[in-house]
Amino acid sequence: LFLKEDMMDEQARCIETLIELHRGTPRQGPGDIGFSEHILTLLPDLPDQPRIADLGCGTGVAALHLAERFQVKVRAVDFARGFLEELEKRARQRGLGHLVDIVEADMGTLDWPRPCLDLIWSEGAAYILTFEGALKAWHPLLVPGGVAVISELSYFKENVAQPVRDFFDEGYPTAGTEAENSAIAQSCGFEIIGTHRLPTQAWWDNYYGPLKKRMKIFEDSDDPVMQAVLQESTTEMELLRDHGSDYGYSFYILKAV
Ligand SMILES: C[S@@+](CC[C@H](N)C(=O)[O-])C[C@H]1O[C@@H](n2cnc3c(N)ncnc32)[C@H](O)[C@@H]1O
């Protein structure tokens, strides 16, 4: 969710409310396991036992997939305890508890040894630090040749419709085209291996669909923060419905040079 400036004043309350709203949803941002699996087939070679982190993991849809697929311990980082508790439960249920290292921390200021990772995975979370801020913070964590897979809201054309421009100018003013984001990645020390657009349908099937069901539960809430979050979510969904060909999430496959 792209919070407006005036909602940032109440950031802590908004985050609590977002956690409550997303409780039980399969994921907290747009994505698709089948698509992630496709991305994984496109990665440059990784060591046999890659050191992996999922940054801004939420309830860990990617962390769990990566742990299962690579059979290595994945560091799953988020600062929202509520999401991490859910991740812990899901990991146990899937018999993956021993392969997920849950880290409650600010993903922008990780004090890990540098370098310490072969693969950074981050879906729908880099924007919180800005794409550039995230890449600057995370590049030193990767070994030379290490890989980052980062999904980032991206404009699919130079001249997006005015409602799209207005919405993101307010909620995410540094949003850019894939070419602009690729240039940022290069300036942060990455080689671009590929840029791949998440199909828009995945937003509806895996993110907005389950979220809509949760929104119904809270529609009569008398909490003004919840009402503001519901309104913002509805506006965001209408924007995608009307202008889904102008923007979306692109997965950037980046190699640290
Ligand atoms: C849109 S959700 C994406 C979650 C997950 N990657 C997914 O795709 O389902 C963004 C996540 O980033 C987390 N987050 C936001 N700012 C953070 C920070 N500074 N450090 C760690 N996690 C953060 C939020 O708690 C949330 O779980």
Side-chain angles (χ1 to χ4, degrees):
L1 191 71
F2 295 88
L3 295 177
K4 282 189 190 153
E5 207 49 24
D6 55 350
M7 294 173 82
M8 300 302 273
D9 299 340
E10 295 207 56
Q11 204 183 14
R13 281 274 294 115
C14 274
I15 289 169
E16 269 172 42
T17 309
L18 283 170
I19 292 172
E20 185 54 25
L21 180 61
H22 283 87
R23 198 171 294 285
T25 55
R27 57 190 317 136
Q28 294 74 49
D32 181 79
I33 285 292
F35 186 79
S36 295
E37 192 48 44
H38 168 62
I39 294 288
L40 283 163
T41 65
L42 305 173
L43 301 193
D45 285 344
L46 291 168
D48 286 343
Q49 300 274 306
R51 293 159 295 174
I52 303 175
D54 177 9
L55 303 182
C57 63
T59 57
V61 64
L64 292 170
H65 183 67
L66 293 165
E68 192 161 50
R69 189 183 197 274
F70 287 97
Q71 289 296 309
V72 295
K73 202 155 192 154
V74 172
R75 299 181 197 197
V77 179
D78 205 286
F79 68 3
R81 182 179 294 243
F83 287 152
L84 294 176
E85 285 169 356
E86 178 73 26
L87 165 56
E88 196 171 13
K89 200 170 84 191
R90 290 182 189 185
R92 250 196 333 268
Q93 283 167 348
R94 285 173 59 173
L96 294 170
H98 61 300
L99 292 181
V100 181
D101 186 6
I102 291 176
V103 183
E104 184 180 345
D106 182 343
M107 63 186 174
T109 55
L110 292 166
D111 61 355
W112 297 345
R114 291 150 190 255
C116 62
L117 295 173
D118 300 297
L119 174 62
I120 287 176
W121 193 279
S122 182
E123 290 186 48
Y127 80 93
I128 293 150
L129 306 176
T130 73
F131 190 58
E132 183 171 20
L135 294 186
K136 281 189 173 150
W138 298 345
H139 186 279
L141 299 173
L142 282 171
V143 295
V147 178
V149 175
I150 299 175
S151 79
E152 169 71 354
L153 184 113
S154 304
Y155 294 135
F156 294 159
K157 44 169 96 153
E158 291 285 339
N159 296 313
V160 293
Q162 199 56 44
V164 175
R165 182 71 66 191
D166 291 345
F167 183 84
F168 290 112
D169 276 354
E170 194 163 8
Y172 190 34
T174 59
T177 60
E178 289 167 331
E180 286 164 346
N181 287 332
S182 297
I184 288 173
Q186 281 167 330
S187 76
C188 291
F190 288 99
E191 178 189 333
I192 317 293
I193 303 298
T195 304
H196 303 272
R197 292 180 185 173
L198 177 73
T200 304
Q201 191 56 39
W203 290 62
W204 298 109
D205 293 347
N206 308 328
Y207 177 48
Y208 283 157
L211 186 59
K212 269 184 172 176
K213 287 194 187 139
R214 288 289 297 165
M215 287 165 67
K216 268 232 138 323
I217 295 171
F218 295 99
E219 66 187 2
D220 297 326
S221 164
D222 52 14
D223 174 357
V225 178
M226 179 58 87
Q227 283 303 336
V229 165
L230 294 180
Q231 183 50 55
E232 199 59 16
S233 305
T234 302
T235 306
E236 198 179 291
M237 289 179 195
E238 287 170 356
L239 193 75
L240 188 77
R241 182 198 62 201
D242 296 342
H243 302 288
S245 57
D246 281 18
Y247 70 98
Y249 264 94
S250 296
F251 278 62
Y252 295 84
I253 306 178
L254 309 173
K255 188 167 152 183
V257 287

